[in-house]
């Protein structure tokens, strides 16, 4: 006996019955049938003429056909290939070619899902099967569903196209940036030449210049030279980016070049209190680009001198290394470069310090340019920690260019005479300006100004601009300014933001934290033209913000205004504290400020008259005391007519009681202000919708109580909202009809069942009445059953009619579980057809919600149908359970629809609830978007959460109905 039948003499597998008595041949055929039907992909056996012999069950179910209906018929006429006439003819041609012995394989779109209603893309093949004589006797058809793969390939192709487009755009923007830098830098060099040339001529030949004039020309020359250095840096970057930076190889004595340019820094070392050592061999021949080598050396030395504190040391050395290379070393005893910054420090615009507290200025380009020039010369540049602290920069360069490199750049030029520039830009930045007494002498009782600026020449310029009117003291950094303010409190602080030791914003916060300086006015004077930073500082710490460059006259005017306000406030506070009886002095102070007050009143009156919103003043009795033109236009009354009316007269009758209660609450002090959307009735009877704010106007004790009303006309906005609501209702109604269309078979089943019962009971009643004698009790029972089933069918039709009818949104208090039960009555047959059980888990004593029943049912129906379709999306049967739960959460009543379907693809998880986003092949992508819109219009939220296992949970919540709503 075969081991197969050790447990039982009979096995039933789908439509195949295996008997112990079957012959071996019959068993093999039945087992082959079971294997064929169990295969997920498309498998079929055809005769040599292309007539269908066998098809596996998965393929039959996918197309919604029976084997008996297609057996013996042309394979190309079956449901799979009826997508189009072209597909049908293509399948027929495949049969013809395979019959001739050709193996066919291609991607083909066929009907293969949802019982033949949906198309899929398959990897289709036809294999000729030959007998022992080599004749084609069968054709083996196979197909593997590659729809998901095709979609992924299409998505990848689309994303690649987008990336290519973005990459091209980035390249274009990068080129535009490079061109912009080059053009701007080039255009700036002409005016800089016209500044530096005349300044140098005047300093060289102007023997009649006074000391202040010579000093000012020196300031112009040094700062123009520094600006020229920045422009040259930007121009070099543009050339590097555009790959237009040429190399000019020259035979030179590198030792002499290093000595010549390093010696220039000896002039500034004593001024900065630094020890400076240069060590080079007597001579070292090399073939390099002279200009770029000089720039590398200057940038490294400038960086070392800038970051080394007074009393420190800087050294520059050159030595020959092995294998034809040389090493330039620049060492300092400054703060050093942290290990994590030693690679980043050579990036463009990278600086060692961020924020407003910066001990050193600069653009962050010097080391970046040194690195890129070194790379051009086929060298290397590194930074490490120096022995004893500080930084050690090392540049290693080849003494000769690589073979063929010089020829690419025009060959090798003879050595040039080394000559230092008249004014080295690097030295101009490092050279401290000469100290000189400030211009002007202010009166001793003038307001005291504390100026905080780290750049000496800018600090002197500000002090000179203010020195004729104010007593000015200065500080070079935030910490020194804090100490100076604590020693002698100023009347005004004028500060930069980017400062050593303590940034300007931190300085202001520190001063305002001191009780006696908490009201110190602040004027920020900064080169940062940042609107967001300006707004933040003006809102929290500063009274004014001036951007560099600035006019000295404008600066004096702003400082004058701030100090005047500060001194006036201090004087008034002193008078109030001393309770002075000198009314004449106070009167004189008031008279001096009268003009400013009148100007302020004029500005406010202009705002009142020309404001786009309506403004009205209302008395305690509701009478209108004043109204601006915007309010008069809103209610269509003249000023004389309006002043003779009371506010209730402008209010619709049904709103007057609520308006009166609000007025009384404000006047009684129960409310400080009241914001509400309300309606006004125009003179012609038309209604105007407005957003209003009403507040009580503080007055003198015993004075008349007044209210100020501000109203913005939103009538057009309300009309637009109503139009949008109507459009949304129309779209929702279309979606409801579309959803019911998907349930046609289930609804027909729900109606046909009672109708069939009515017919059966009608025939039974006739038989019992025609019997002799008539069986009246049985006839009456049958008629009762007819009435019952007719009512049942009528209930189904009534629910469907109410679901699809157009109606205005009607909010009523309802039990959400009742709405769920109504929906389940509609979809129960559909769920049974899909072999899915729907479980409704109710929570006892669930609070009611305020909602439109039809719209709420639409949301539930859409979520349930989505769950059913997700659980059967693979095209085969799917036994499972769809759970619907209701429970009470903090946000209100929550409904969860839990399925065990295929889940949500990661590519659409962030936009699943958006309009036109669908997971269905023929879906519009509006169901979830409409459902979310409905839930949010009810004051709730709709969201989804992936399950720990398969499937997704869609949830929505609605607020609990208030008690007064139910009444």
């Amino acid at each position: 006996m075969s081991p197969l039948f050790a447990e039982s003499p009979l096995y039933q597998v789908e439509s195949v019955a295996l008997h112990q008595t079957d012959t071996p041949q019959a068993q093999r055929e039945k087992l082959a049938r079971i294997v064929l039907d169990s295969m997920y992909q498309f498998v079929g056996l055809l005769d040599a003429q292309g007539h269908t012999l066998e098809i596996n069950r998965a393929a039959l179910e996918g197309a919604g056909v029976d084997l008996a209906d297609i057996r013996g018929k042309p394979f190309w006429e079956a449901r799979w290939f009826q997508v189009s006439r072209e597909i049908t003819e293509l399948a027929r041609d495949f049969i013809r070619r395979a019959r001739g012995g050709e193996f066919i394989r291609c991607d083909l779109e066929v009907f293969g899902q949802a019982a033949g209603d949906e198309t899929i893309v398959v990897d289709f093949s036809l294999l000729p099967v030959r007998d022992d004589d080599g004749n084609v006797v069968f054709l083996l058809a196979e197909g593997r569903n590659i729809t998901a793969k095709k979609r992924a390939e299409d998505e990848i192709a689309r994303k690649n196209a987008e990336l290519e487009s973005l990459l091209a755009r980035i390249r274009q923007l990068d080129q535009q940036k490079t061109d912009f830098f080059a053009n701007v830098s080039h255009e700036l060099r002409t005016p800089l030449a016209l500044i530096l040339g005349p300044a140098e001529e005047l300093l060289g030949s102007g023997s009649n210049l006074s000391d202040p004039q010579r000093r000012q020309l020196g300031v112009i020359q040094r700062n123009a030279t520094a600006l020229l250095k920045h422009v040259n840096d930007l121009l070099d970057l543009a050339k590097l980016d555009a790959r237009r930076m040429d190399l000019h190889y020259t035979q030179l004595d590198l030792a002499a070049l290093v000595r010549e340019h390093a010696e220039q820094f000896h002039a500034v070392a004593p001024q900065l209190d630094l020890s400076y050592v240069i060590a080079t061999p007597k001579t070292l021949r090399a073939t390099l680009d002279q200009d770029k080598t000089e720039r590398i050396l200057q940038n490294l030395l400038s960086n070392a001198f800038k970051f080394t504190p007074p009393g420190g040391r800087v050294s520059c050395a050159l030595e020959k290394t092995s294998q034809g290379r040389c090493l330039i070393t620049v060492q300092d005893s400054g703060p050093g470069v942290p290990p994590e910054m030693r690679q980043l420090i050579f990036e463009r615009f990278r600086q060692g310090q961020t924020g407003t507290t910066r001990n050193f200025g600069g653009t962050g380009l010097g080391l970046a340019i040194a690195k890129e020039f070194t790379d051009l010369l086929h060298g290397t540049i590194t930074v490490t920690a120096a022995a004893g602290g500080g930084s050690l920069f090392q540049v290693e360069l080849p003494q000769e260019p690589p073979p063929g490199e010089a020829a690419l750049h025009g060959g090798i030029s003879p050595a040039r005479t080394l000559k230092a520039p008249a004014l080295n830009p690097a030295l101009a930045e490092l050279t401290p300006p000469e100290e000189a007494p400030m211009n002007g002498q202010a009166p001793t009782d003038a307001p005291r100004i504390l100026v905080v600026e780290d750049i000496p020449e800018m600090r002197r310029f500000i002090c000179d601009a203010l020195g004729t009117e104010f007593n000015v003291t200065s500080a070079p950094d935030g910490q020194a300014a804090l100490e100076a303010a604590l020693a002698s409190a100023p009347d005004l602080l004028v500060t930069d933001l980017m400062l050593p030791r303590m940034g300007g914003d931190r300085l202001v916060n520190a001063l305002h934290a001191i009780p006696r300086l908490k009201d110190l006015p602040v004027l920020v004077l900064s080169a940062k033209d940042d609107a967001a930073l300006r707004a933040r500082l003006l809102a929290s710490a500063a009274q004014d913000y001036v951007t560099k460059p600035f006019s000295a006259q404008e600066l004096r005017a702003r400082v004058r205004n701030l100090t005047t306000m500060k001194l006036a406030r201090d004087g008034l506070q002193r008078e109030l504290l001393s309770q002075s009886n000198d009314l004449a002095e106070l009167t004189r102070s008031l008279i001096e400020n009268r003009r400013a007050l009148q100007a302020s009143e004029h500005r406010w009156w202009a705002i009142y008259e020309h404001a786009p919103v309506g403004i009205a003043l209302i008395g305690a009795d509701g009478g209108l005391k004043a109204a601006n033109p915007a309010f008069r236009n809103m209610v269509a009354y003249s000023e004389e007519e309006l002043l003779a009316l009371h506010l209730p007269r402008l209010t619709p009758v049904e709103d007057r009681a609520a308006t009166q209660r609000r007025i009384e609450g404000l006047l009684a002090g129960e409310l400080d202000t009241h914001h509400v959307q309300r309606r006004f009735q125009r003179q012609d009877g038309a209604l105007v919708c407005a957003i209003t704010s009403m507040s009580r106007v503080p007055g003198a004790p015993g004075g008349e109580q007044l209210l100020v009303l501000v109203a913005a006309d939103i009538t057009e906005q309300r009309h637009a909202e109503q139009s949008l609501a109507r459009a949304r209702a129309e779209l929702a109604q279309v979606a409801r009809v579309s959803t019911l269309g998907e349930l046609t078979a289930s609804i027909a089943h729900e109606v046909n069942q009672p109708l069939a019962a009515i017919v059966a009971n009608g025939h039974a009643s006739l038989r019992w009445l025609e019997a002799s004698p008539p069986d009246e009790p049985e006839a009456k029972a049958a008629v009762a059953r007819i009435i019952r089933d007719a009512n049942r069918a009528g209930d189904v039709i009534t629910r469907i009619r109410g679901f699809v009818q157009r109606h205005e949104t009607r909010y009523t208090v309802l039990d959400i579980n009742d709405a769920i039960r109504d929906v389940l009555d509609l979809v129960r047959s559909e769920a049974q057809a899909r072999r899915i059980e729907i479980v409704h888990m109710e929570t006892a004593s669930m609070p009611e919600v305020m909602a439109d029943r039809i719209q709420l049912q639409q949301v539930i129906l859409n979520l349930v149908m989505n769950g059913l379709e997700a659980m059967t999306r693979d095209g085969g049967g799917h036994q499972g359970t769809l759970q619907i739960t209701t429970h009470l959460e903090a946000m209100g009543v929550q409904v969860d629809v839990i399925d065990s379907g295929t889940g949500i693809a990661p590519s659409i998880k962030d936009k699943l609830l958006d309009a036109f986003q669908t997971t269905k092949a023929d879906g519009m992508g509006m169901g979830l978007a409409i459902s979310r819109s409905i839930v949010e219009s009810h004051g709730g939220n709709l969201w989804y959460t992936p399950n720990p296992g398969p499937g997704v949970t869609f949830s929505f919540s609605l607020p609990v109905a208030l008690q007064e709503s139910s009444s």
Side-chain angles (χ1 to χ4, degrees):
M1 182 179 64
S2 171
L4 178 64
F5 300 101
E7 300 289 337
S8 173
L10 173 66
Y11 291 101
Q12 184 72 38
V13 181
E14 295 294 338
S15 61
V16 180
L18 285 170
H19 295 275
Q20 185 176 356
T21 58
D22 289 339
T23 64
Q25 179 64 28
Q27 280 190 15
R28 285 195 297 271
E29 291 177 356
K30 291 181 178 181
L31 289 173
R33 178 78 252 178
I34 292 173
V35 171
L36 188 66
D37 285 343
S38 300
M39 296 179 71
Y40 178 74
Q41 64 267 29
F42 181 105
V43 180
L45 186 65
L46 318 177
D47 63 16
Q49 305 304 315
H51 297 100
T52 305
L53 299 178
E54 289 290 339
I55 301 291
N56 69 324
R57 181 167 52 85
L60 294 171
E61 291 179 351
V65 297
D66 293 327
L67 181 59
D69 296 335
I70 63 174
R71 177 174 281 159
K73 296 181 180 179
F75 184 54
W76 59 85
E77 294 180 357
R79 175 62 179 167
W80 296 287
F81 305 105
Q82 303 311 305
V83 175
S84 67
R85 182 178 298 175
E86 179 184 2
I87 297 294
T88 304
E89 291 301 321
L90 190 60
R92 186 172 186 173
D93 183 61
F94 288 164
I95 298 293
R96 179 187 60 79
R97 291 161 55 189
R99 186 167 62 240
E102 180 182 352
F103 173 70
I104 305 297
R105 184 175 182 181
C106 68
D107 295 342
L108 201 62
E109 184 179 12
V110 298
F111 282 116
Q113 192 167 282
D117 288 337
E118 298 180 7
T119 63
I120 60 174
V121 179
V122 295
D123 179 6
F124 178 77
S125 66
L126 269 176
L127 174 67
V129 180
R130 303 175 185 269
D131 60 11
D132 293 342
D133 296 329
N135 298 318
V136 176
V137 292
F138 297 109
L139 301 178
L140 180 63
E142 291 186 271
R144 183 169 55 89
N145 189 347
I146 59 170
T147 305
K149 175 186 173 185
K150 281 294 183 182
R151 289 176 180 169
E153 289 175 351
D154 292 343
E155 180 68 12
I156 290 172
R158 187 177 64 83
K159 293 296 184 183
N160 285 337
E162 291 179 359
L163 289 175
E164 288 292 339
S165 177
L166 289 174
L167 183 59
R169 179 60 177 160
I170 290 172
R171 288 171 177 163
Q172 181 185 9
L173 291 175
D174 188 61
Q175 183 60 43
Q176 290 176 353
K177 177 204 71 175
T178 301
D179 293 343
F180 173 76
F181 277 160
N183 294 335
V184 170
S185 300
H186 182 270
E187 291 299 321
L188 287 175
R189 296 179 80 170
T190 299
L192 283 174
L194 294 175
I195 295 173
L196 286 169
E200 185 176 351
E201 287 292 328
L202 287 172
L203 286 172
S205 59
S207 57
N208 58 342
L209 292 176
S210 64
D211 289 340
Q213 290 172 337
R214 188 173 294 278
R215 188 170 54 251
Q216 295 288 10
L217 283 173
V219 170
I220 293 173
Q221 186 186 42
R222 280 191 298 273
N223 285 275
T225 303
L227 182 57
L228 179 61
K229 176 181 178 296
H230 298 323
V231 170
N232 288 335
D233 288 345
L234 289 175
L235 191 57
D236 286 339
L237 289 180
K239 289 181 180 179
L240 287 167
D241 287 340
R243 303 182 185 276
R244 298 172 186 167
M245 181 63 73
D246 293 328
L247 292 175
H248 302 285
Y249 282 101
T250 303
Q251 295 177 343
L252 51 84
D253 183 352
L254 183 59
L257 183 145
V258 170
R259 284 194 299 272
E260 182 71 29
H261 284 272
E263 285 288 348
Q264 299 176 41
F265 288 83
H266 268 304
V268 297
Q271 301 177 48
L272 299 176
D273 191 19
L274 300 178
S275 63
Y276 181 40
V277 177
I278 303 172
T280 67
K282 184 175 181 180
T283 182
L284 180 58
R285 307 304 302 179
T287 302
L288 295 167
D289 185 305
Q290 181 173 330
D291 292 336
K292 291 173 181 55
T293 306
E294 291 173 357
R295 287 285 297 281
I296 294 170
L297 180 62
Q298 288 178 3
N299 286 359
L300 292 181
L301 285 172
S302 174
N303 196 69
F305 274 79
K306 183 190 301 183
F307 286 91
T308 303
R313 67 186 183 282
V314 176
S315 66
C316 176
L318 171 68
E319 60 181 298
K320 186 180 186 307
T321 60
S322 60
Q323 299 178 350
R325 299 179 73 86
C326 54
L327 182 67
I328 300 174
T329 302
V330 175
Q331 181 176 342
D332 64 65
S333 60
V337 180
E340 66 274 9
M341 288 289 294
R342 288 174 186 170
Q343 292 297 326
L344 302 176
I345 201 69
F346 294 107
E347 293 180 357
R348 296 178 183 182
F349 310 109
R350 178 71 66 173
Q351 294 181 314
Q353 292 177 305
T354 59
T356 57
T357 303
R358 290 172 53 187
N359 295 329
F360 309 100
T363 60
L365 291 177
L367 291 178
I369 291 175
K371 171 73 165 59
E372 301 208 34
F373 281 3
T374 302
D375 292 342
L376 281 176
L377 296 173
H378 303 280
T380 60
I381 182 171
T382 60
V383 58
T384 57
S391 300
L392 175 65
F393 285 87
Q394 292 182 309
V395 178
E396 189 177 44
L397 297 172
Q399 288 181 257
E400 298 294 332
E405 175 75 9
L408 293 175
H409 298 279
I412 300 175
S413 303
R416 298 198 322 242
T417 302
L418 297 176
K419 182 179 180 181
L423 184 60
N424 191 322
L427 295 177
E429 285 188 317
L430 295 172
T431 305
E434 298 178 3
E435 294 293 336
M438 290 189 300
N439 296 330
Q441 186 65 39
T444 55
D445 58 347
R448 299 180 302 279
I449 311 297
L450 175 58
V451 174
V452 192
E453 171 61 56
D454 59 323
I455 299 177
E457 291 171 341
M458 177 58 71
R459 183 167 65 247
R460 177 177 178 77
F461 174 71
I462 298 172
C463 292
D464 285 346
L466 301 177
T468 57
E469 293 187 38
F470 308 98
N471 286 318
V472 182
T473 56
S474 64
D477 58 70
Q479 185 62 41
L482 178 61
E483 296 169 359
L486 292 175
S488 177
D491 294 313
L492 175 66
L493 175 69
V494 177
T495 180
D496 193 1
L497 284 179
M498 314 297 287
L499 293 171
R501 300 176 68 192
M502 179 186 290
D505 51 349
R506 291 179 53 203
L507 169 63
V508 173
N509 292 335
L511 290 174
H512 285 173
I514 301 170
R516 64 188 179 92
L517 297 175
K518 64 183 181 65
D519 294 325
L520 175 66
V522 176
L523 187 151
V524 174
L525 195 61
S526 174
K528 296 193 71 171
D529 190 9
D530 187 333
L533 176 65
R534 179 200 300 264
R536 179 172 63 83
L537 289 174
L538 291 176
S540 60
Q543 281 65 47
D544 206 346
Y545 191 109
V546 178
T547 304
K548 300 174 184 175
F550 55 88
S551 161
Q553 184 177 359
E554 177 189 1
L555 178 64
R556 283 192 292 268
R558 290 175 182 267
V559 169
R560 193 181 303 120
N561 291 338
L562 291 175
T563 54
T564 300
M565 293 174 60
K566 167 68 165 55
L567 295 176
R569 184 177 68 245
D570 291 347
L572 183 58
Q573 287 177 343
R574 285 194 299 271
E575 292 293 340
L576 293 176
L577 290 174
S578 65
Q579 297 182 355
S580 171
N581 293 324
D582 189 357
L583 297 180
E585 184 65 24
L586 288 177
T587 301
R588 280 194 298 272
S589 298
L590 290 175
I591 292 174
E592 290 174 358
N593 292 290
R594 182 177 180 181
R595 293 182 179 178
L597 180 59
Q598 288 175 340
S600 176
E601 289 176 347
H602 178 75
R603 287 193 297 270
W604 282 109
W605 181 256
I607 294 172
Y608 170 82
E609 284 292 304
H610 299 93
V613 296
I615 304 173
L617 201 61
I618 303 167
D621 60 349
L624 280 91
K625 304 298 183 181
N628 72 337
F631 188 88
R632 297 197 296 269
N633 293 335
M634 188 185 305
V635 296
Y637 282 91
S638 66
E639 184 174 11
E640 294 75 18
E641 294 171 337
L642 203 58
L643 296 181
L645 298 177
H646 288 68
L647 185 60
R649 175 65 181 80
L650 301 175
T651 306
V653 175
E654 59 271 25
D655 298 342
R656 290 179 182 176
T659 300
Q660 187 60 36
R661 285 196 301 271
R662 296 186 197 107
I663 292 176
E664 292 172 356
L666 288 168
L667 293 174
E670 299 171 359
L671 301 171
D672 292 329
T673 184
H674 187 79
H675 306 281
V676 68
Q677 286 192 19
R678 57 158 297 161
R679 299 180 297 171
F680 292 105
Q681 190 165 17
R682 292 164 58 95
Q683 189 171 16
D684 57 4
L687 296 179
V688 177
C689 296
I691 297 177
T692 62
S693 176
M694 189 181 299
S695 305
R696 186 158 52 95
V697 179
E704 182 183 7
Q705 290 183 310
L706 295 174
L707 302 175
V708 61
L709 172 68
V710 179
D713 189 348
I714 60 169
T715 305
E716 293 297 327
Q717 176 184 336
R718 291 296 298 274
H719 290 165
E721 291 173 352
Q722 291 168 1
S723 298
L724 179 61
R726 286 194 295 270
R728 186 172 59 192
E730 289 288 336
L731 184 59
Q733 196 269 340
V734 170
R736 290 198 297 272
V737 173
S738 175
T739 304
L740 285 180
E742 299 175 12
L743 293 173
T744 301
S746 299
I747 293 172
H749 177 75
E750 289 294 322
V751 176
N752 286 336
Q753 273 192 331
L755 291 180
I758 290 171
V759 173
N761 283 308
H763 288 301
S765 179
L766 289 175
R767 288 196 301 272
W768 284 316
L769 291 175
E770 291 172 355
S772 181
D775 191 342
E776 293 184 2
E778 288 294 339
K780 288 181 180 180
V783 172
R785 289 194 295 274
I786 290 172
I787 295 172
R788 180 199 64 195
D789 291 331
N791 289 334
R792 178 183 168 191
D795 290 341
V796 173
I797 294 171
T798 300
R799 282 199 301 270
I800 295 172
R801 182 187 297 120
F803 195 70
V804 301
Q805 280 180 338
R806 289 183 173 86
H807 71 286
E808 295 292 332
T809 301
R810 293 186 292 272
Y811 290 94
T812 58
V813 177
L814 56 87
D815 184 345
I816 200 166
N817 286 310
D818 287 343
I820 294 174
R821 285 189 284 271
D822 289 343
V823 171
L824 296 186
D825 288 341
L826 290 176
V827 302
R828 186 169 288 107
S829 296
E830 180 71 17
Q832 291 172 354
R834 297 173 184 258
R835 296 193 294 169
I836 296 174
E837 179 186 4
I838 300 180
V839 177
H840 179 198
M841 303 174 66
E842 305 181 24
T843 301
S845 304
M846 181 64 63
E848 294 178 318
V849 298
M850 177 70 71
D852 182 291
R853 178 178 290 274
I854 300 300
Q855 293 185 1
L856 182 58
Q857 290 176 347
Q858 179 178 355
V859 174
I860 299 169
L861 177 60
N862 188 49
L863 297 183
V864 171
M865 288 300 299
N866 281 353
L868 294 177
E869 292 179 4
M871 294 172 69
T872 56
R873 189 165 294 151
D874 57 4
H878 183 94
Q879 292 182 345
T881 301
L882 180 74
Q883 295 185 25
I884 305 176
T885 65
T886 57
H887 47 95
L888 185 63
E889 297 290 345
M891 64 185 71
V893 176
Q894 181 171 322
V895 178
D896 299 324
V897 180
I898 309 168
D899 68 59
S900 57
T902 56
I904 306 300
S907 60
I908 63 171
K909 66 178 183 178
D910 295 331
K911 51 187 177 181
L912 181 63
L913 301 180
D914 295 343
F916 308 111
Q917 183 63 48
T918 179
T919 59
K920 307 174 188 176
D922 56 353
M924 293 189 301
M926 293 301 297
L928 289 175
I930 292 173
S931 297
R932 180 170 70 172
S933 175
I934 291 173
V935 172
E936 290 178 350
S937 69
H938 283 69
N941 292 293
L942 185 147
W943 68 96
Y944 75 91
T945 308
N947 295 336
V952 178
T953 297
F954 280 87
S955 307
F956 69 89
S957 64
L958 295 176
V960 175
L962 301 177
Q963 292 298 322
E964 56 268 29
S965 300
S966 60
S967 61

